[in-house]
Amino acid sequence: MVLFRRLLGEVLRAQRLERGMTLREVSAEARVSLGYISEVERGQKEASSELLASLCSALDVALSDVLRDVSDAVALEEATILRMPVRAAADAAAA
């Protein structure tokens, strides 16, 4: 199962690291607790639209870019999941 919140967290973390920012810096800029941002990055908490807008602003990245990256990651995971049953069936037939 594809978890949007996990992939969103991975994209946000990658954006933060790409900019060389610490969680503390993003926290101060976004005015969101460091712990909450950490949980979002780890896919443990859902990000509201307001929180996501604050994080994107703090990271100086367009929301559309973040959502596009997450959408691409979702598509890759879905493709992997959809191929799994085909591989398993092919392996079973070959055995």
Side-chain angles (χ1 to χ4, degrees):
M1 174 170 63
V2 177
L3 275 179
F4 182 84
R5 71 174 184 252
R6 180 181 53 81
L7 296 174
L8 175 62
E10 290 174 5
V11 168
L12 290 171
R13 177 181 288 132
Q15 291 286 344
R16 177 176 61 78
L17 295 175
E18 185 176 303
R19 285 158 179 70
M21 295 179 76
T22 65
L23 280 171
R24 189 170 309 284
E25 290 169 329
V26 174
S27 172
E29 191 71 29
R31 297 179 187 202
V32 176
S33 78
L34 186 148
Y36 199 81
I37 296 172
S38 176
E39 288 180 310
V40 167
E41 282 191 0
R42 288 181 280 137
Q44 295 177 334
K45 293 283 185 185
E46 298 282 349
S48 68
S49 56
E50 292 85 1
L51 173 68
L52 192 51
S54 293
L55 294 175
C56 287
S57 177
L59 293 167
D60 194 30
V61 63
L63 174 61
S64 59
D65 290 339
V66 168
L67 293 177
R68 188 175 305 110
D69 289 348
V70 174
S71 178
D72 290 346
V74 167
L76 284 172
E77 282 207 14
E78 285 177 334
T80 300
I81 290 169
L82 291 175
R83 281 193 299 257
M84 284 179 150
V86 173
R87 285 189 201 147
D91 291 344

